[in-house]
Amino acid sequence: MTPADATTHPLVAYKSDPVRGAVWHDIFAREAPDLRLVDWDPHGEAAQARYLVAWTPPEDLPRAMPRLEALFCIGAGIDHLPVGELPRTVQVVRMVDPNLTASMVEYVVMAVLALHRDLPFYRREQAAGRWTPRPVLPATERRVGIMGLGVLGQAAARAVAGFGFPVRGWSASAKALDGIETFAGDAALGDFLAGTDILVCLLPLTPATRGLLDRALFSRLPPGAALVNAGRGGHVVEADLLAALDGGRLSGAILDVLATEPPPASHPLLAHPLVMATPHVASATQPAGAARQVIRGVRAHLRGEPIAHAIDRSQGY
Ligand code: NDP
Ligand code: OXD
């Protein structure tokens, strides 16, 4: 390739898992001959690319990629990215992919059903050799509250409502969603929590949401409520969650994310009898759909159009 090729075939640098990278290269070769995907190499032409696809970008990104115009995150959450260090002209784009959404919907449905059917309690009873039936409550009598009514929260809300649960959701801006009761902003948080038996967190991690799930918030839920966290570990004050479980304020928790990942083997939430934990696998980006989103985004940018799912840097998500 000559230097002119980078002008006629803009470079997209790829810095992620090489096995998945093979799928990315295949899709770009077959479906985007107008672009050129190159694997990250700090000393090679990738460093001159206008576009980067990564979960973990190179250190000191503005210096490592001086021509960068858009950073495409391989995941939906961008809280781990050094957004503040990037020039304002660099767009940060999060991943929105039907497969990623579908997997999250499965996880939330699984977790809500598990909590609705008292699975953490029965696991504890089984471990103690006890056979302790509890009354079976109809779904219509268990209220599910979803924090975050974005791409994932709305899809999860619809799926959960399909089982007959009364579903409510909370977001920053007001929304009208068929069959879902909606609440917006900090002023409405108390009312939202007061009618939530199973709380699902699908918020992005921002300065406004970090540590939001704390003792004060748990105390606004009905006694015996349960928690699903598939957002980020940083949303939860873990010591407060442990205290709420030990004190009976919360009846169980299903956690896909923890403040430190991987957590130490001795982490008290992993050992807690009323907690079921999964290792940040609620959902995952699938390479083919992700590659196509990036191709669409780069082409839009080259045409001078907005890139879909670019974050609002002032809001942090
Ligand atoms: P979106 O950006 O589409 O949605 C975010 C939602 O959160 C919006 O409804 C937004 O409100 C709301 N929100 C943000 N800040 C606040 C606030 N301060 N108060 C109230 N509501 C707020 O994100 P996604 O749905 O795509 O993803 C959500 C998160 O899920 C990701 O950021 C990531 O952390 C997590 N995730 C976890 C995965 C896992 O495997 N565990 C996989 C993928 C994502 P509004 O609509 O008004 O803007
Ligand atoms: C994501 C994740 O944000 O996997 O996509 O957590």
Side-chain angles (χ1 to χ4, degrees):
M1 288 283 176
T2 65
D5 288 318
T7 317
T8 52
H9 297 80
L11 293 180
V12 180
Y14 174 87
K15 182 177 180 294
S16 193
D17 174 60
V19 175
R20 289 162 159 258
V23 179
W24 281 77
H25 279 286
D26 184 47
I27 300 270
F28 267 71
R30 284 193 288 114
E31 300 180 21
D34 50 323
L35 306 174
R36 202 147 59 83
L37 187 73
V38 287
D39 288 331
W40 173 246
D41 169 3
H43 309 296
E45 59 182 349
Q48 300 307 318
R50 293 165 65 186
Y51 305 101
L52 170 66
V53 176
W55 175 259
T56 312
E59 293 278 303
D60 194 359
L61 187 51
R63 195 183 290 254
M65 295 191 71
R67 297 188 182 167
L68 188 67
E69 293 179 39
L71 164 57
F72 291 85
C73 179
I74 282 199
I78 53 85
D79 50 283
H80 61 293
L81 294 177
V83 176
E85 291 170 19
L86 299 176
R88 299 297 299 184
T89 49
V90 175
Q91 300 196 48
V92 177
V93 187
R94 52 189 221 89
M95 190 53 63
V96 173
D97 168 60
N99 287 312
L100 184 121
T101 304
S103 303
M104 183 56 84
V105 166
E106 286 173 8
Y107 188 90
V108 172
V109 166
M110 173 196 74
V112 165
L113 290 176
L115 292 169
H116 170 56
R117 299 309 305 264
D118 296 318
L119 226 53
F121 170 80
Y122 288 128
R123 262 175 84 242
R124 188 183 69 181
E125 293 301 283
Q126 180 183 347
R130 290 191 291 262
W131 191 258
T132 318
R134 276 183 161 182
V136 174
L137 206 67
T140 50
E141 290 177 30
R142 190 88 70 181
R143 299 159 299 174
V144 177
I146 302 197
M147 302 181 91
L149 285 177
V151 173
L152 302 180
Q154 287 193 27
R158 279 193 292 271
V160 169
F163 284 84
F165 295 101
V167 179
R168 49 180 50 205
W170 181 70
S171 52
S173 58
K175 309 235 177 303
L177 301 175
D178 242 16
I180 314 290
E181 194 178 357
T182 55
F183 299 77
D186 292 346
L189 182 58
D191 287 345
F192 164 78
L193 294 169
T196 291
D197 301 313
I198 298 177
L199 180 68
V200 178
C201 176
L202 277 175
L203 289 165
L205 187 61
T206 67
T209 64
R210 183 177 290 280
L212 185 61
L213 278 71
D214 64 357
R215 182 167 178 264
L217 182 142
F218 298 141
S219 73
R220 296 164 96 177
L221 291 164
L227 171 68
V228 179
N229 188 14
R232 288 287 184 261
H235 287 128
V236 172
V237 177
E238 292 181 345
D240 290 2
L241 174 57
L242 279 163
L245 289 164
D246 288 339
R249 181 82 217 173
L250 292 184
S251 58
I254 296 190
L255 308 174
D256 184 53
V257 284
L258 289 173
T260 303
E261 295 178 8
S266 60
H267 195 297
L269 282 169
L270 290 185
H272 199 285
L274 294 175
V275 173
M276 295 168 75
T278 48
H280 201 142
V281 291
S283 186
T285 299
Q286 300 299 330
R292 293 191 177 104
Q293 184 193 317
V294 170
I295 290 169
R296 283 193 298 275
V298 169
R299 285 180 176 155
H301 188 256
L302 290 168
R303 289 193 299 268
E305 294 168 9
I307 306 180
H309 313 303
I311 66 154
D312 175 343
R313 288 180 58 165
S314 64
Q315 288 186 315
Y317 68 95

